[in-house]
Amino acid sequence: MIPLQLKNSIFFIDRFFFKHLSFLSSSSIFYHSENIKKFFHFITKFGEGYFELLLIIVLFSFFLFNKKKYQHLKKYILAIIFTLLSTQITVNVMKVLFARARPSITINPDKFYGIMTLIKNSSFWKGNYVSFPSGHTITIWGTIWILSFVIKNKTIKIPLFILGILVGMSRVYLVRHWTTDVVASVIFSYFLAKFVHKKIFGNKKRIAKPSFVPYYRKLNIGIFKRSVS
């Protein structure tokens, strides 16, 4: 059970960001901004799977162009596909189990109905009660995490993280999710991507092998070596 104080703090966060980010709130920093609305409608599409599909097609095209040179891309493609599959399975199962009401139909972020309530009210297939976690966020962040594990270049990683943050913000702005839906999705996607990365790429951290040459012999070889006259 989650302590009452922690639950109240979580719901306070949801109310705070809903008030200051969502386009419905008169206190929103983006209130009545048509350009911002168009921007977030565009940016949220990156969480719909098109980005992953395009990435897979591009990588696969390189691989087909020169299989020998781009042999390593097979693992990258598999990593993206399996991360995408694992995030989609996880998010859809959790959405049904928690059955949280979207902010578009209630101002109370604590409305978790659960699967039995959905079945009793014949609301099982309705999209108004699948707020937790955020599908768009877990989709884009799963890809971002798996790419960040294999890409070392910061000039590529930083824009990816910025994109992920913007997609998460768009879900709150468009009144589709509470902030904790988004944060939970980022966390879940990290562990799912980490699991996939370990299975496909393995643990590349090398354990230092102990030296079997006694210390005094090293000294004898390096310092007390007899000079040849």
Side-chain angles (χ1 to χ4, degrees):
M1 294 291 292
I2 302 176
L4 181 61
Q5 188 175 358
L6 178 58
K7 287 173 67 176
N8 290 335
S9 298
I10 291 172
F11 298 144
F12 170 79
I13 291 170
D14 285 330
R15 292 189 184 96
F16 177 84
F17 283 101
F18 177 80
K19 179 181 179 181
H20 295 289
L21 282 182
S22 67
F23 77 91
L24 286 180
S25 173
S26 58
S27 301
S28 173
I29 58 176
F30 303 126
Y31 189 59
H32 279 170
S33 176
E34 287 299 320
N35 290 331
I36 292 294
K37 190 174 183 179
K38 290 177 182 178
F39 171 75
F40 278 127
H41 271 293
F42 167 76
I43 210 73
T44 202
K45 293 185 180 296
F46 281 91
E48 295 178 359
Y50 302 119
F51 177 70
E52 288 73 22
L53 181 60
L54 179 61
L55 194 57
I56 291 168
I57 292 172
V58 170
L59 293 178
F60 191 65
S61 299
F62 274 99
F63 172 70
L64 289 179
F65 178 74
N66 192 329
K67 292 183 180 180
K68 188 176 181 180
K69 183 178 179 180
Y70 298 109
Q71 181 74 15
H72 62 285
L73 292 184
K74 285 199 299 184
K75 285 189 174 183
Y76 295 173
I77 295 168
L78 287 173
I80 295 169
I81 291 173
F82 281 113
T83 301
L84 184 61
L85 288 174
S86 61
T87 54
Q88 298 315 297
I89 292 170
T90 301
V91 75
N92 282 289
V93 169
M94 295 186 73
K95 279 178 178 289
V96 173
L97 290 177
F98 285 94
R100 189 184 197 184
R102 291 188 186 274
S104 56
I105 65 169
T106 178
I107 59 172
N108 297 317
D110 57 338
K111 294 296 182 182
F112 288 83
Y113 292 97
I115 186 172
M116 296 310 297
T117 304
L118 293 189
I119 294 172
K120 288 177 182 177
N121 297 338
S122 301
S123 304
F124 193 82
W125 299 112
K126 291 183 180 179
N128 291 330
Y129 302 95
V130 288
S131 188
F132 182 87
S134 168
H136 283 67
T137 307
I138 202 171
T139 299
I140 189 65
W141 272 97
T143 306
I144 289 170
W145 286 127
I146 198 69
L147 290 176
S148 70
F149 296 151
V150 297
I151 295 173
K152 304 303 179 184
N153 193 328
K154 288 185 178 180
T155 57
I156 298 176
K157 287 169 123 178
I158 291 174
L160 285 174
F161 285 122
I162 293 173
L163 175 63
I165 292 169
L166 290 174
V167 170
M169 286 179 61
S170 75
R171 304 313 290 162
V172 179
Y173 172 82
L174 296 171
V175 200
R176 299 303 291 167
H177 289 284
W178 301 101
T179 302
T180 49
D181 300 338
V182 171
V183 173
S185 294
V186 176
I187 295 171
F188 293 149
S189 62
Y190 173 83
F191 288 105
L192 290 169
K194 196 73 175 176
F195 175 79
V196 171
H197 179 264
K198 187 175 180 181
K199 290 296 180 182
I200 294 179
F201 293 93
N203 191 356
K204 293 186 177 181
K205 291 182 179 179
R206 294 182 179 179
I207 302 173
K209 295 181 180 179
S211 175
F212 293 102
V213 181
Y215 184 67
Y216 74 88
R217 287 187 60 188
K218 289 183 180 180
L219 288 175
N220 186 49
I221 294 170
I223 301 175
F224 301 105
K225 189 176 180 181
R226 293 181 179 180
S227 59
V228 179
S229 57

